[in-house]
Short mmCIF file of all heavy atoms in Angstrom, two decimals:
data_model
loop_
_atom_site.label_atom_id
_atom_site.label_comp_id
_atom_site.label_asym_id
_atom_site.label_seq_id
_atom_site.Cartn_x
_atom_site.Cartn_y
_atom_site.Cartn_z
N ILE A 1 -11.10 -30.36 29.03
CA ILE A 1 -11.40 -30.83 27.67
C ILE A 1 -12.89 -30.70 27.36
O ILE A 1 -13.28 -30.26 26.28
CB ILE A 1 -10.91 -32.28 27.46
CG1 ILE A 1 -9.37 -32.32 27.41
CG2 ILE A 1 -11.47 -32.87 26.16
CD1 ILE A 1 -8.78 -33.70 27.40
N LYS A 2 -13.73 -31.07 28.34
CA LYS A 2 -15.18 -30.96 28.16
C LYS A 2 -15.58 -29.53 27.83
O LYS A 2 -16.34 -29.26 26.90
CB LYS A 2 -15.90 -31.45 29.41
CG LYS A 2 -16.99 -32.45 29.08
CD LYS A 2 -17.60 -33.06 30.32
CE LYS A 2 -17.48 -34.57 30.28
NZ LYS A 2 -17.51 -35.19 31.58
N GLU A 3 -15.02 -28.59 28.61
CA GLU A 3 -15.31 -27.17 28.37
C GLU A 3 -14.79 -26.73 27.00
O GLU A 3 -15.44 -26.00 26.27
CB GLU A 3 -14.69 -26.30 29.46
CG GLU A 3 -15.39 -26.41 30.81
CD GLU A 3 -14.67 -25.64 31.90
OE1 GLU A 3 -13.73 -24.87 31.59
OE2 GLU A 3 -15.04 -25.81 33.08
N GLY A 4 -13.57 -27.20 26.69
CA GLY A 4 -12.93 -26.85 25.42
C GLY A 4 -13.69 -27.39 24.23
O GLY A 4 -13.80 -26.75 23.19
N GLU A 5 -14.26 -28.59 24.40
CA GLU A 5 -15.01 -29.22 23.30
C GLU A 5 -16.26 -28.38 22.99
O GLU A 5 -16.57 -28.13 21.82
CB GLU A 5 -15.42 -30.64 23.68
CG GLU A 5 -15.97 -31.41 22.52
CD GLU A 5 -15.91 -32.92 22.72
OE1 GLU A 5 -15.89 -33.38 23.87
OE2 GLU A 5 -15.85 -33.62 21.70
N ALA A 6 -16.93 -27.94 24.03
CA ALA A 6 -18.13 -27.11 23.85
C ALA A 6 -17.76 -25.84 23.07
O ALA A 6 -18.49 -25.38 22.19
CB ALA A 6 -18.73 -26.75 25.20
N LYS A 7 -16.58 -25.29 23.40
CA LYS A 7 -16.10 -24.07 22.73
C LYS A 7 -15.74 -24.36 21.27
O LYS A 7 -16.07 -23.58 20.37
CB LYS A 7 -14.85 -23.55 23.45
CG LYS A 7 -15.01 -22.13 24.00
CD LYS A 7 -13.66 -21.65 24.52
CE LYS A 7 -13.80 -21.16 25.95
NZ LYS A 7 -12.51 -20.91 26.59
N SER A 8 -15.05 -25.46 21.05
CA SER A 8 -14.55 -25.73 19.69
C SER A 8 -15.69 -26.03 18.72
O SER A 8 -15.58 -25.77 17.53
CB SER A 8 -13.51 -26.85 19.69
OG SER A 8 -14.10 -28.08 20.00
N ILE A 9 -16.81 -26.58 19.22
CA ILE A 9 -17.96 -26.85 18.35
C ILE A 9 -18.56 -25.53 17.83
O ILE A 9 -19.06 -25.45 16.72
CB ILE A 9 -19.01 -27.72 19.09
CG1 ILE A 9 -18.46 -29.13 19.26
CG2 ILE A 9 -20.33 -27.77 18.33
CD1 ILE A 9 -19.19 -29.99 20.25
N GLN A 10 -18.45 -24.48 18.66
CA GLN A 10 -18.96 -23.15 18.28
C GLN A 10 -17.98 -22.39 17.37
O GLN A 10 -18.33 -21.38 16.78
CB GLN A 10 -19.17 -22.28 19.54
CG GLN A 10 -20.00 -22.91 20.64
CD GLN A 10 -21.44 -23.08 20.24
OE1 GLN A 10 -22.03 -22.19 19.63
NE2 GLN A 10 -22.00 -24.26 20.50
N LEU A 11 -16.77 -22.89 17.30
CA LEU A 11 -15.70 -22.13 16.63
C LEU A 11 -15.94 -22.00 15.12
O LEU A 11 -16.17 -23.00 14.44
CB LEU A 11 -14.35 -22.82 16.87
CG LEU A 11 -13.09 -22.06 16.50
CD1 LEU A 11 -12.82 -20.93 17.49
CD2 LEU A 11 -11.89 -23.01 16.49
N PRO A 12 -15.89 -20.76 14.58
CA PRO A 12 -15.97 -20.63 13.12
C PRO A 12 -14.69 -21.20 12.51
O PRO A 12 -13.59 -20.90 12.98
CB PRO A 12 -16.06 -19.11 12.89
CG PRO A 12 -16.12 -18.48 14.24
CD PRO A 12 -15.67 -19.48 15.24
N CYS A 13 -14.83 -22.05 11.50
CA CYS A 13 -13.65 -22.72 10.95
C CYS A 13 -12.95 -21.84 9.93
O CYS A 13 -13.02 -22.08 8.72
CB CYS A 13 -14.04 -24.06 10.36
SG CYS A 13 -14.46 -25.24 11.65
N ASN A 14 -12.29 -20.82 10.41
CA ASN A 14 -11.42 -20.02 9.54
C ASN A 14 -10.09 -19.84 10.24
O ASN A 14 -9.99 -20.00 11.46
CB ASN A 14 -12.06 -18.68 9.18
CG ASN A 14 -12.35 -17.84 10.42
OD1 ASN A 14 -11.45 -17.52 11.19
ND2 ASN A 14 -13.60 -17.47 10.61
N LEU A 15 -9.08 -19.52 9.46
CA LEU A 15 -7.71 -19.44 9.97
C LEU A 15 -7.58 -18.51 11.18
O LEU A 15 -6.96 -18.85 12.18
CB LEU A 15 -6.77 -19.00 8.85
CG LEU A 15 -5.27 -19.10 9.15
CD1 LEU A 15 -4.86 -20.52 9.49
CD2 LEU A 15 -4.46 -18.57 7.97
N LYS A 16 -8.22 -17.35 11.10
CA LYS A 16 -8.12 -16.35 12.16
C LYS A 16 -8.65 -16.90 13.49
O LYS A 16 -7.99 -16.82 14.52
CB LYS A 16 -8.89 -15.09 11.74
CG LYS A 16 -8.73 -13.91 12.69
CD LYS A 16 -9.38 -12.66 12.09
CE LYS A 16 -9.27 -11.46 13.03
NZ LYS A 16 -10.21 -11.54 14.16
N SER A 17 -9.84 -17.50 13.45
CA SER A 17 -10.46 -18.04 14.68
C SER A 17 -9.64 -19.20 15.26
O SER A 17 -9.45 -19.29 16.47
CB SER A 17 -11.87 -18.53 14.40
OG SER A 17 -12.63 -17.50 13.83
N ILE A 18 -9.19 -20.07 14.37
CA ILE A 18 -8.40 -21.23 14.82
C ILE A 18 -7.12 -20.75 15.50
O ILE A 18 -6.76 -21.23 16.58
CB ILE A 18 -8.08 -22.18 13.63
CG1 ILE A 18 -9.38 -22.81 13.11
CG2 ILE A 18 -7.08 -23.25 14.03
CD1 ILE A 18 -9.23 -23.55 11.78
N LYS A 19 -6.46 -19.80 14.86
CA LYS A 19 -5.20 -19.27 15.40
C LYS A 19 -5.43 -18.63 16.78
O LYS A 19 -4.69 -18.90 17.73
CB LYS A 19 -4.63 -18.23 14.42
CG LYS A 19 -3.21 -17.81 14.73
CD LYS A 19 -2.67 -16.90 13.63
CE LYS A 19 -1.22 -16.57 13.90
NZ LYS A 19 -0.63 -15.79 12.81
N GLU A 20 -6.48 -17.81 16.87
CA GLU A 20 -6.79 -17.14 18.14
C GLU A 20 -7.06 -18.15 19.25
O GLU A 20 -6.58 -18.01 20.37
CB GLU A 20 -8.01 -16.22 17.98
CG GLU A 20 -7.65 -14.88 17.36
CD GLU A 20 -8.88 -14.04 16.99
OE1 GLU A 20 -10.02 -14.45 17.34
OE2 GLU A 20 -8.69 -12.99 16.34
N GLN A 21 -7.82 -19.21 18.92
CA GLN A 21 -8.18 -20.20 19.94
C GLN A 21 -6.95 -21.01 20.37
O GLN A 21 -6.76 -21.29 21.55
CB GLN A 21 -9.28 -21.13 19.42
CG GLN A 21 -9.94 -21.98 20.51
CD GLN A 21 -10.40 -21.18 21.71
OE1 GLN A 21 -11.19 -20.25 21.59
NE2 GLN A 21 -9.89 -21.49 22.89
N MET A 22 -6.10 -21.38 19.40
CA MET A 22 -4.89 -22.14 19.76
C MET A 22 -3.96 -21.29 20.62
O MET A 22 -3.34 -21.80 21.57
CB MET A 22 -4.17 -22.63 18.50
CG MET A 22 -4.84 -23.84 17.87
SD MET A 22 -3.77 -24.61 16.62
CE MET A 22 -4.83 -25.92 16.02
N LEU A 23 -3.84 -20.01 20.30
CA LEU A 23 -3.02 -19.11 21.12
C LEU A 23 -3.60 -18.97 22.52
O LEU A 23 -2.88 -18.95 23.51
CB LEU A 23 -2.90 -17.73 20.46
CG LEU A 23 -1.89 -17.62 19.32
CD1 LEU A 23 -2.02 -16.28 18.60
CD2 LEU A 23 -0.45 -17.79 19.82
N ALA A 24 -4.94 -18.90 22.59
CA ALA A 24 -5.60 -18.79 23.89
C ALA A 24 -5.39 -20.05 24.74
O ALA A 24 -5.36 -19.98 25.97
CB ALA A 24 -7.10 -18.55 23.69
N ASN A 25 -5.20 -21.19 24.08
CA ASN A 25 -4.99 -22.45 24.82
C ASN A 25 -3.56 -22.61 25.32
O ASN A 25 -3.29 -23.47 26.17
CB ASN A 25 -5.32 -23.65 23.91
CG ASN A 25 -6.79 -23.76 23.60
OD1 ASN A 25 -7.62 -23.20 24.32
ND2 ASN A 25 -7.13 -24.47 22.52
N GLN A 26 -2.66 -21.80 24.79
CA GLN A 26 -1.22 -22.00 25.04
C GLN A 26 -0.85 -22.05 26.53
O GLN A 26 0.01 -22.83 26.93
CB GLN A 26 -0.42 -20.89 24.37
CG GLN A 26 0.57 -21.46 23.36
CD GLN A 26 1.27 -20.35 22.59
OE1 GLN A 26 1.56 -19.29 23.13
NE2 GLN A 26 1.55 -20.58 21.33
N TYR A 27 -1.52 -21.22 27.35
CA TYR A 27 -1.16 -21.13 28.77
C TYR A 27 -1.37 -22.45 29.51
O TYR A 27 -0.86 -22.66 30.60
CB TYR A 27 -1.94 -19.99 29.44
CG TYR A 27 -3.36 -20.37 29.83
CD1 TYR A 27 -3.69 -20.68 31.15
CD2 TYR A 27 -4.36 -20.42 28.88
CE1 TYR A 27 -4.98 -21.03 31.50
CE2 TYR A 27 -5.65 -20.77 29.21
CZ TYR A 27 -5.96 -21.08 30.53
OH TYR A 27 -7.24 -21.43 30.87
N LEU A 28 -2.13 -23.36 28.91
CA LEU A 28 -2.42 -24.65 29.56
C LEU A 28 -1.31 -25.68 29.37
O LEU A 28 -1.42 -26.80 29.83
CB LEU A 28 -3.73 -25.21 29.01
CG LEU A 28 -5.00 -24.49 29.49
CD1 LEU A 28 -6.17 -24.80 28.57
CD2 LEU A 28 -5.33 -24.87 30.93
N GLY A 29 -0.25 -25.29 28.68
CA GLY A 29 0.88 -26.21 28.49
C GLY A 29 0.45 -27.45 27.71
O GLY A 29 -0.29 -27.34 26.72
N VAL A 30 0.85 -28.64 28.16
CA VAL A 30 0.54 -29.87 27.39
C VAL A 30 -0.97 -30.16 27.35
O VAL A 30 -1.44 -30.89 26.47
CB VAL A 30 1.31 -31.11 27.90
CG1 VAL A 30 2.80 -30.98 27.62
CG2 VAL A 30 1.04 -31.40 29.36
N VAL A 31 -1.72 -29.57 28.28
CA VAL A 31 -3.18 -29.76 28.25
C VAL A 31 -3.80 -29.04 27.04
O VAL A 31 -4.92 -29.34 26.63
CB VAL A 31 -3.82 -29.30 29.59
CG1 VAL A 31 -5.32 -29.55 29.60
CG2 VAL A 31 -3.17 -30.03 30.77
N SER A 32 -3.05 -28.12 26.45
CA SER A 32 -3.54 -27.47 25.22
C SER A 32 -3.60 -28.46 24.06
O SER A 32 -4.35 -28.27 23.11
CB SER A 32 -2.64 -26.29 24.84
OG SER A 32 -1.35 -26.75 24.42
N ILE A 33 -2.83 -29.54 24.14
CA ILE A 33 -2.76 -30.49 23.02
C ILE A 33 -4.13 -31.13 22.74
O ILE A 33 -4.62 -31.07 21.60
CB ILE A 33 -1.65 -31.55 23.23
CG1 ILE A 33 -0.27 -30.87 23.27
CG2 ILE A 33 -1.68 -32.62 22.13
CD1 ILE A 33 0.87 -31.75 23.76
N PRO A 34 -4.79 -31.75 23.76
CA PRO A 34 -6.11 -32.32 23.45
C PRO A 34 -7.15 -31.27 23.06
O PRO A 34 -8.08 -31.57 22.29
CB PRO A 34 -6.51 -33.05 24.75
CG PRO A 34 -5.59 -32.55 25.80
CD PRO A 34 -4.35 -32.09 25.12
#
């Protein structure tokens, strides 16, 4: 989560970036939720 938070603060807030990041988190299973 700490690593993910650092990444999400850098994330451009547009649909494309959000979608890409959520898809990239998918492999983490329920840990993708936080």
Side-chain angles (χ1 to χ4, degrees):
I1 289 172
K2 230 173 237 155
E3 287 175 10
E5 190 159 25
K7 240 188 233 169
S8 69
I9 289 165
Q10 308 292 317
L11 192 72
C13 289
N14 60 58
L15 190 60
K16 187 173 179 284
S17 305
I18 294 169
K19 192 174 184 175
E20 279 171 7
Q21 194 51 58
M22 283 193 182
L23 281 171
N25 292 340
Q26 239 174 36
Y27 81 102
L28 287 161
V30 292
V31 182
S32 68
I33 297 168

